[in-house]
C-alpha cells in the first residue's frame, strides 16, 4: 500500500471519536473483506496479534497445533446474520463488548496503523520473575495470561511481576500466604485454578492487610483466564472492593480474602483455610460467577507482586511492519477511505 495513503488514513483515524475508531477497527478486522466479521476472521487477527506481541514466528505457531488466544475467542459473541454468509457473525456491538472484556487487545488494535513499539499500550508484555528451580508447567500464569491481565492496569510502564506465593511450593496456608505477600509489593495479582480446571482471579491495588470491612480503590478488578478470558472493572455501584479478614469470631466477618459483592456473597472469595471458595454474580464489577459453580475448591493458588519500571529499560524485539501489512487488507482499506 502507498505510504501516503497510510498516512492519510492514520490522520483520519487519529481524529476520530472512540466510537468511530471502534467501527474503523471493526471493519479492518474483516480479513476476508466480505462484510461479515466471523470467527475465522478473528482467528486470523489473533494469530497476527500473538505473533507480533510475543515475537513468535508463524512456523512455530503452526507446529504447536494450538490456536493463539483460544480463550479470547471463547469470550466472543456472534449474534449477527449476514446474507450470503453461513453462520453468525460479530456485530459492532458484539465487537465493542468483546474489546471491553479484553483491554490488552483493544489497546493493541488501537495502534493497528502504527509501527510496532514495545513501549506503546497493547505491546507491553510483563516480565515474570520466579525461582529457577520452579518448573513453568506448575505455574498458572504464563506470558499470554499476564499480557491479558496487564491490560486492566492504567499504567503504561513495562511491568515486572514477581512470584510471591504458590500453594504447591509454600503449602495451602492462609497464614503463609499473608506472610509472603505482606513482605512483597503492595500491588498483587491473585490467581486461582479450581478443581474444575477454570482459572481466574483478581488484581488488588492495595496491600493484603487485616480489616473488618471492605477497603481498596477503583483500580481493583476481577478477571477470567480459562476457559474464557475477560476482565471486569469496578462499576462504582459500591466500594466493596477488597476483603481481608483474619481471626475474627463474628459470623458477619468471614475470615479469608475476597473481592466485591457482600460478605458470604463475594464476587470472589477464598476461605481462611484455603480449601474452599465461592464466586457469585457481583454488582461491584458487573461480573458473572468466575467459577462453573458458585462454590468451588481451589487446586492451585498463586500470588504475584507487581513492580513498575520505565518502558525504556527494556525493549522487545518485534517483527517488522504493521499488523495492517500482515493482514494484507489493501483492498478493504481503500474501500473504507473511499478510494
Amino acid at each position: 500500500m502507498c505510504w501516503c495513503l497510510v498516512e492519510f488514513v492514520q490522520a483520519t483515524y487519529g481524529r476520530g471519536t472512540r466510537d468511530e475508531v471502534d467501527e474503523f477497527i471493526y471493519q479492518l478486522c474483516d480479513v476476508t473483506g466480505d462484510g461479515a466479521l466471523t470467527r475465522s476472521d478473528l482467528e486470523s487477527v489473533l494469530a497476527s496479534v500473538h505473533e507480533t506481541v510475543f515475537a513468535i514466528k508463524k512456523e512455530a505457531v503452526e507446529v504447536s497445533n494450538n490456536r493463539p488466544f483460544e480463550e479470547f475467542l471463547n469470550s466472543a459473541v456472534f449474534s449477527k446474520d449476514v446474507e450470503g454468509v453461513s453462520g453468525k457473525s460479530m456485530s459492532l456491538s458484539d465487537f465493542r463488548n468483546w474489546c471491553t472484556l479484553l483491554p490488552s487487545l483493544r489497546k493493541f488494535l488501537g495502534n493497528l496503523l502504527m509501527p510496532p513499539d514495545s513501549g506503546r499500550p497493547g505491546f507491553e508484555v510483563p516480565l515474570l520473575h520466579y525461582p529457577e528451580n520452579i518448573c513453568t508447567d506448575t505455574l498458572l500464569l504464563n506470558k499470554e495470561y499476564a499480557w491479558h491481565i496487564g491490560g486492566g492496569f492504567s499504567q503504561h510502564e513495562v511491568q515486572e511481576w514477581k512470584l510471591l506465593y504458590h500453594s504447591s511450593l509454600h503449602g495451602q496456608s492462609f497464614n503463609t500466604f499473608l506472610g509472603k505477600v505482606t513482605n512483597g509489593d503492595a500491588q498483587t495479582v491473585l490467581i486461582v485454578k479450581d478443581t474444575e480446571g477454570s482459572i481466574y482471579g483478581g488484581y488488588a491495588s492495595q496491600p493484603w492487610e487485616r480489616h473488618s470491612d471492605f477497603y481498596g480503590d477503583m483500580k481493583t478488578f476481577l478477571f477470567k483466564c480459562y476457559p474464557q478470558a475477560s476482565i471486569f472493572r469496578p462499576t462504582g455501584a459500591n466500594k466493596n472492593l477488597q476483603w481481608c479478614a483474619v481471626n475474627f469470631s463474628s459470623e458477619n466477618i468471614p475470615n479469608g480474602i475476597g473481592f466485591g459483592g457482600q460478605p458470604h456473597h463475594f464476587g470472589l472469595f477464598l476461605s481462611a483455610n484455603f480449601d474452599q471458595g465461592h464466586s457469585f454474580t457481583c454488582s461491584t464489577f458487573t461480573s458473572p460467577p468466575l467459577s462453573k459453580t458458585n462454590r468451588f475448591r481451589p487446586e492451585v493458588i498463586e500470588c504475584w507482586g507487581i513492580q513498575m519500571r520505565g518502558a525504556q529499560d527494556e525493549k522487545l524485539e518485534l517483527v517488522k511492519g504493521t499488523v495492517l501489512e500482515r493482514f494484507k487488507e489493501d483492498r478493504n482499506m481503500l474501500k473504507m477511505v473511499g478510494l
Side-chain angles (χ1 to χ4, degrees):
M1 178 186 294
C2 176
W3 280 109
C4 63
L5 174 60
V6 173
E7 290 173 0
F8 168 74
V9 176
Q10 286 177 345
T12 304
Y13 170 83
R15 290 196 299 268
T17 65
R18 182 179 176 86
D19 285 347
E20 290 171 337
V21 171
D22 284 347
E23 185 171 3
F24 182 87
I25 298 172
Y26 167 74
Q27 295 182 51
L28 190 62
C29 288
D30 175 15
V31 177
T32 56
D34 60 0
L37 186 55
T38 63
R39 187 178 181 90
S40 62
D41 288 318
L42 293 190
E43 288 176 349
S44 298
V45 170
L46 290 175
S48 243
V49 173
H50 192 268
E51 177 188 345
T52 303
V53 173
F54 299 100
I56 297 174
K57 294 182 179 180
K58 184 177 180 181
E59 297 78 14
V61 175
E62 292 174 346
V63 170
S64 70
N65 294 322
N66 292 324
R67 285 184 288 187
F69 295 141
E70 180 72 15
E71 296 87 345
F72 284 19
L73 282 171
N74 292 340
S75 64
V77 172
F78 303 88
S79 64
K80 183 179 178 182
D81 289 309
V82 177
E83 186 176 353
V85 177
S86 60
K88 298 279 188 179
S89 66
M90 180 177 268
S91 68
L92 179 57
S93 178
D94 294 336
F95 181 75
R96 285 176 174 149
N97 292 336
W98 188 56
C99 286
T100 298
L101 295 174
L102 303 170
S104 281
L105 179 65
R106 174 59 182 82
K107 290 174 183 178
F108 182 93
L109 294 177
N111 288 289
L112 275 174
L113 298 179
M114 304 296 288
D117 181 353
S118 64
R120 185 174 295 121
F123 286 87
E124 313 100 319
V125 179
L127 304 176
L128 305 182
H129 299 288
Y130 47 86
E132 294 181 356
N133 61 345
I134 295 180
C135 176
T136 55
D137 291 340
T138 66
L139 297 175
L140 298 180
L141 190 70
N142 56 34
K143 290 184 178 180
E144 286 83 359
Y145 289 168
W147 182 73
H148 161 55
I149 298 166
F153 300 163
S154 58
Q155 296 92 343
H156 296 303
E157 295 92 346
V158 171
Q159 302 142 7
E160 293 188 5
W161 297 19
K162 180 182 178 182
L163 181 65
L164 301 178
Y165 169 83
H166 192 289
S167 57
S168 297
L169 300 172
H170 305 117
Q172 207 147 312
S173 164
F174 188 37
N175 289 333
T176 302
F177 168 83
L178 290 177
K180 293 289 184 182
V181 303
T182 54
N183 292 328
D185 298 276
Q187 303 176 63
T188 54
V189 169
L190 178 72
I191 309 177
V192 178
K193 179 181 179 181
D194 63 30
T195 53
E196 296 289 327
S198 297
I199 301 174
Y200 42 83
Y203 164 65
S205 57
Q206 299 296 314
W208 291 107
E209 299 173 338
R210 186 179 189 267
H211 289 264
S212 61
D213 202 350
F214 283 98
Y215 68 107
D217 59 39
M218 299 298 285
K219 295 178 182 178
T220 303
F221 60 83
L222 290 176
F223 59 82
K224 295 175 70 174
C225 290
Y226 183 84
Q228 297 174 323
S230 306
I231 282 180
F232 307 99
R233 300 178 187 273
T235 63
N238 56 56
K239 296 182 179 180
N240 299 351
L241 296 157
Q242 276 182 246
W243 179 276
C244 183
V246 187
N247 297 327
F248 285 99
S249 57
S250 171
E251 292 185 0
N252 297 323
I253 307 177
N255 290 308
I257 55 175
F259 297 86
Q262 303 289 336
H264 302 292
H265 204 276
F266 292 87
L268 175 61
F269 180 76
L270 288 173
S271 69
N273 293 328
F274 268 19
D275 61 347
Q276 57 184 321
H278 68 247
S279 179
F280 291 93
T281 300
C282 173
S283 60
T284 307
F285 304 99
T286 314
S287 56
L290 304 182
S291 47
K292 292 181 180 179
T293 57
N294 291 128
R295 308 284 177 178
F296 66 84
R297 289 192 175 278
E299 182 177 292
V300 181
I301 302 170
E302 282 181 9
C303 189
W304 296 74
I306 309 301
Q307 300 170 319
M308 295 299 176
R309 67 181 185 81
Q312 68 276 10
D313 293 343
E314 179 168 333
K315 293 287 184 179
L316 298 176
E317 188 172 340
L318 300 173
V319 292
K320 295 181 180 180
T322 64
V323 175
L324 179 63
E325 288 178 293
R326 282 188 298 284
F327 287 170
K328 299 187 183 300
E329 281 302 282
D330 297 10
R331 180 172 56 85
N332 219 19
M333 179 66 73
L334 288 169
K335 290 167 66 177
M336 287 197 300
V337 297
L339 298 178

